[in-house]
């Protein structure tokens, strides 16, 4: 990489675009606050989704198979992270819920990238893991209706939860 005649440093340069560097420097100071809220909301949503009778996969739930390991590893101040999964069993049900969440209640957005201040969600079996055959998906615990969700921190928690409930009840 350090070969100045033909290495990556020569080809890509040692610095990033000034605008990108500035934007990053503006966001870094409050990254901790955003991550705490991201995790806090995921924990609350996971618990409430469970109360609705949904199959939720989240390491912060005590019945998660890796909860004990996650608890030993987690930074208590930041919680168990902002990603959770909901198993809707079929791709049709998963897409129906995500469509309601995006279009009817504006709870979140369908996307394969899961890093944003809004809640993002995708049906893994038909998007990011679509190249896996059915046996590989089963081994990885990816059902056809598995929704991965990165919980955002836009709006209030209660406002967003109300949007989620409306979409789920509509199902």
């Amino acid at each position: 990489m350090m070969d100045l005649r033909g290495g990556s440093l020569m080809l890509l340069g040692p610095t990033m675009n000034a605008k990108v560097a500035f934007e990053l420097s503006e966001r870094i100071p409050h990254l901790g606050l955003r991550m705490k809220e991201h995790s806090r909301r995921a924990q609350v949503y996971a618990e409430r989704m469970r109360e609705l009778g949904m199959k939720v996969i989240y390491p912060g739930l005590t019945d998660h198979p890796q909860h004990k390991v996650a608890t030993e590893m987690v930074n208590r101040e930041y919680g168990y992270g902002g990603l959770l999964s909901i198993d809707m069993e079929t791709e049709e049900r998963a897409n129906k819920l995500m469509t309601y969440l995006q279009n009817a209640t504006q709870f979140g957005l369908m996307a394969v990238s899961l890093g944003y201040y809004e809640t993002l969600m995708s049906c893994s079996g038909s998007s990011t893991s679509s190249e896996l055959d059915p046996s590989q998906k089963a081994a990885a615990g990816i059902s056809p209706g598995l929704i991965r969700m990165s919980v955002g921190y836009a709006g209030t928690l209660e406002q967003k939860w109300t949007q989620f409930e409306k979409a789920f009840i509509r199902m």
Side-chain angles (χ1 to χ4, degrees), residues 94-122:
N95 286 329
K96 188 175 182 179
L97 178 61
M98 290 190 303
T99 297
Y100 288 156
L101 289 170
Q102 176 177 283
N103 300 330
T105 68
Q106 289 75 48
F107 172 79
L109 304 168
M110 290 184 268
V112 293
S113 171
L114 297 177
Y116 196 50
Y117 66 91
E118 291 282 356
T119 295
L120 300 179
M121 58 206 152
S122 71

Side-chain angles (χ1 to χ4, degrees), residues 44-50 52 54 107 156-166:
V44 171
Y45 291 165
E47 291 168 0
R48 290 180 181 182
M49 289 171 182
R50 174 65 47 83
L52 290 175
M54 301 180 82
F107 172 79
T156 69
L157 186 147
E158 294 306 324
Q159 169 200 17
K160 290 298 185 176
W161 177 250
T162 298
Q163 292 170 330
F164 182 88
E165 271 187 317
K166 284 181 183 176

Side-chain angles (χ1 to χ4, degrees), residues 8 10 17 35 39 78 81 90 107 112 126 129 135 138 156 168:
S8 299
M10 189 277 298
N17 173 296
M35 294 309 297
S39 295
Y78 289 90
T90 68
F107 172 79
V112 293
S126 60
S129 300
S135 65
T156 69
F168 183 69

Side-chain angles (χ1 to χ4, degrees), residues 53-164:
M54 301 180 82
K55 182 179 178 188
V56 183
I57 304 161
Y58 183 69
L61 296 174
T62 56
D63 64 348
H64 186 278
Q66 299 298 317
H67 177 74
K68 184 178 178 183
V69 173
T71 299
E72 292 170 2
M73 296 172 56
V74 74
N75 178 326
R76 301 224 187 281
E77 192 175 344
Y78 289 90
Y80 293 89
L83 297 173
L84 59 85
S85 296
I86 308 165
D87 191 347
M88 296 301 292
E89 297 176 356
T90 68
E91 184 179 344
E92 181 182 341
R93 285 179 44 107
N95 286 329
K96 188 175 182 179
L97 178 61
M98 290 190 303
T99 297
Y100 288 156
L101 289 170
Q102 176 177 283
N103 300 330
T105 68
Q106 289 75 48
F107 172 79
L109 304 168
M110 290 184 268
V112 293
S113 171
L114 297 177
Y116 196 50
Y117 66 91
E118 291 282 356
T119 295
L120 300 179
M121 58 206 152
S122 71
C123 185
S124 299
S126 60
S127 61
T128 55
S129 300
S130 61
E131 75 284 354
L132 301 176
D133 66 47
S135 65
Q136 291 172 312
K137 288 179 188 176
I142 303 170
S143 78
L146 188 72
I147 297 173
R148 288 184 317 143
M149 185 179 290
S150 173
V151 176
Y153 50 86
T156 69
L157 186 147
E158 294 306 324
Q159 169 200 17
K160 290 298 185 176
W161 177 250
T162 298
Q163 292 170 330
F164 182 88

